[in-house]
Amino acid sequence: MLLRRLLLDIAQGRPFGRGRAGLRVAVPAHEHRIACDLDRLLTVRGMSLAQLASLVGVTVANLSVLKNGRAKAVRFSTLTAICDVLECTPGDLLTVLPKDAGTGLPADSE
């Protein structure tokens, strides 16, 4: 019954989580306001996404998801590795946009 209800909530686009059987509440991806400046940092350092992926130890596809604003989560270990390679801080890489600035996603994905 719980799984059925959870699947129904997801299908209808409702947030799911705590409040229903102790599961975590997930903010839909289209509601976040986090912008990633990975592209700018790579340009300034003259580095390609493939080079960064190799040095960090993640796939180019995963870094592309982060760079294009489609990431739902980032592991602290991955964030640490990216910052170590790019010699930056998480604040250099990620920015919270003002509430009236939109979703944080590229315009073509909205």
Side-chain angles (χ1 to χ4, degrees):
M1 181 65 183
L2 175 62
L3 179 59
R4 184 176 179 194
R5 184 68 186 156
L6 181 60
L7 292 175
L8 181 62
D9 284 352
I10 293 169
Q12 294 177 350
R14 288 189 291 226
F16 55 94
R18 276 196 219 281
R20 212 187 292 286
L23 300 173
R24 289 184 303 156
V25 173
V27 175
H30 64 276
E31 292 184 11
H32 80 78
R33 298 184 341 266
I34 303 296
C36 182
D37 292 323
L38 183 56
D39 204 29
R40 180 184 56 81
L41 291 172
L42 288 172
T43 301
V44 167
R45 285 155 178 79
M47 186 181 291
S48 72
L49 199 61
Q51 289 170 318
L52 179 63
S54 176
L55 293 169
V56 171
V58 297
T59 66
V60 173
N62 283 341
L63 283 181
S64 180
V65 167
L66 177 63
K67 181 181 84 123
N68 294 319
R70 296 186 316 257
K72 294 180 183 178
V74 181
R75 291 179 188 264
F76 285 144
S77 58
T78 302
L79 184 59
T80 301
I82 291 170
C83 289
D84 285 347
V85 170
L86 295 178
E87 297 179 345
C88 68
T89 66
D92 297 328
L93 186 62
L94 303 173
T95 308
V96 179
L97 299 173
K99 287 186 180 183
D100 60 348
T103 62
L105 295 175
D108 61 348
S109 67
E110 291 184 357

